[in-house]
Amino acid sequence: MSASAPRLGVLDVGSNTVNLVVAEADSGLPLPVHTWERRPRLAHRLPADGTIGPDALERMISAVTDAVVESRRAGVNRMFAYTTAVVRDAPNREAVLTAVQERTGVRLGTLTGIEDARLTFLAARRWLGWQAGPMLMVDIGGGCLEVAFGRDRLPESAMSLPLGAGRLTREFLADGDPPSPRAVRRLRQYVREQFAEVAARTSWEAPRTSVAASKTFQQLARLAGAPPLRQGPFVRRELRATALRPWIKRLAAMPSPKRSRLPGVSPHRARQILAGAIVAYEVMRRLGVESLIICPWGLREGILLRELESRQTPLADAAWVPWD
């Protein structure tokens, strides 16, 4: 690696996976030159209150330690490390962050849901370009649902709701695999009530383009007939509400092992894909969106873009770490 091409890394500690993405700072685009992933599954068997237990903490520390080694191997000069709602909303968050820092040397930042929404919107805007016009962006994570709308590079309005696929699975669908019909009905009613309240006090113009980010939406789109990811990121993929709706009933009747054999559904997301489908459909129904364009860029690319475009540390609660 030459001195003229410093490398930036983004380390994303999520509810299921730990991802490292490396890009060259002089490229102007968050095109990865190196990627790496581990699956510590922090949300696996997480209690309803979201406390990170000793076993999950050890898996997390091990993954972050390996990521640090990998980042040095990849020539990263500066790395932005953060964790999402699975740790941000945990009752023992500070103890977890302190333990990770003491054992790995990395202090994980905790993005707010609004920061998450704004940065993901930025990534989607840059991917689709200005021809997208007024744009609505939705993103279903493990802990939260983010929604943003705007005409410019950053959204004019953004919100984050506790409607993540992992969180809802723990809170509503833990009575069996597959869950009981009663549990599924309770979840659907809860999502409708939560989102209806927000939608009622939000005034957005009709977007020209509606876009979805996140692995959950990618897998739902594949399930509903979109081209597989192996065809590359530039193949247009959409998720239509009419194609998604019948899958909710089908998924509700399947145990997780059977879901994991469906097109596009990964084993570590099989249990929570039902909750993701319910949230996706209810959001589309409430906002009157018939279809969503699937964007392959998300929060990690948004963080890189913010740094590449502004050359400033973009967020208050996590610093870029010099890696030299």
Side-chain angles (χ1 to χ4, degrees):
M1 183 186 68
S2 67
S4 62
R7 289 189 170 187
L8 307 177
V10 172
L11 180 62
D12 172 359
V13 179
S15 58
N16 285 300
T17 61
V18 172
N19 288 277
L20 173 68
V21 175
V22 180
E24 292 190 346
D26 63 353
S27 69
L29 289 172
L31 299 177
V33 295
H34 185 76
T35 60
W36 175 93
E37 179 183 288
R38 286 288 183 275
R39 293 179 179 173
R41 300 182 66 191
L42 300 183
H44 181 60
R45 296 181 179 175
L46 208 62
D49 70 352
T51 298
I52 306 294
D55 290 345
L57 177 58
E58 285 301 317
R59 296 196 301 272
M60 181 180 178
I61 289 172
S62 177
V64 173
T65 300
D66 291 345
V68 170
V69 173
E70 188 67 21
S71 69
R72 296 186 186 280
R73 184 180 296 124
V76 171
N77 303 103
R78 291 205 298 164
M79 184 169 74
F80 182 85
Y82 70 94
T83 184
T84 53
V86 66
V87 175
R88 182 187 68 219
D89 298 340
N92 60 337
R93 176 183 74 175
E94 287 306 316
V96 168
L97 295 177
T98 298
V100 172
Q101 184 174 17
E102 289 176 349
R103 299 271 297 276
T104 71
V106 174
R107 177 68 181 185
L108 294 172
T110 52
L111 303 181
T112 69
I114 299 302
E115 288 172 328
D116 190 326
R118 288 172 61 81
L119 289 166
T120 304
F121 183 95
L122 170 62
R125 170 63 76 191
R126 287 293 183 251
W127 180 266
L128 291 171
W130 295 111
Q131 74 271 16
M135 190 175 76
L136 171 72
M137 187 283 303
V138 293
D139 177 358
I140 300 173
C144 294
L145 162 74
E146 274 79 45
V147 184
F149 174 83
R151 306 169 184 81
D152 210 331
R153 61 187 288 272
L154 292 174
E156 297 158 21
S157 58
M159 65 179 70
S160 179
L161 306 173
L163 296 177
R167 183 198 301 264
L168 296 180
T169 299
R170 294 193 303 273
E171 294 179 356
F172 288 89
L173 304 179
D175 66 345
D177 188 13
S180 67
R182 179 176 178 272
V184 175
R185 287 195 299 271
R186 285 181 57 240
L187 174 56
R188 296 189 74 167
Q189 184 61 33
Y190 176 79
V191 173
R192 287 170 184 164
E193 291 172 355
Q194 290 292 307
F195 199 73
E197 180 181 348
V198 173
R201 48 189 175 83
T202 303
S203 179
W204 289 331
E205 68 180 76
R208 183 185 302 172
T209 304
S210 298
V211 59
S214 78
K215 292 291 186 182
T216 296
F217 273 113
Q218 289 179 10
Q219 295 193 4
L220 289 173
R222 177 71 185 104
L223 194 61
L229 292 179
R230 66 174 179 272
Q231 293 186 16
F234 300 106
V235 174
R236 183 180 175 90
R237 295 175 176 88
E238 291 186 64
L239 175 63
R240 300 190 66 82
T242 53
L244 175 61
R245 183 178 181 180
W247 274 106
I248 295 175
K249 185 175 181 179
R250 297 172 194 167
L251 291 169
M254 294 181 188
S256 299
K258 188 173 181 180
R259 293 178 196 166
S260 68
R261 294 194 291 271
L262 294 170
V265 179
S266 59
H268 67 285
R269 294 180 187 272
R271 189 171 180 85
Q272 67 184 48
I273 195 68
L274 170 60
I278 290 171
V279 173
Y281 179 73
E282 293 300 334
V283 167
M284 296 175 76
R285 186 178 72 88
R286 170 56 64 173
L287 295 180
V289 174
E290 295 181 0
S291 66
L292 291 163
I293 298 172
I294 305 301
C295 178
W297 280 1
L299 177 58
R300 292 186 291 273
E301 289 79 11
I303 291 171
L304 285 169
L305 279 164
R306 182 69 176 263
E307 170 67 6
L308 293 170
E309 293 180 0
S310 68
R311 300 290 171 158
Q312 298 174 359
T313 301
L315 304 162
D317 190 31
W320 286 93
V321 179
W323 231 234
D324 287 342

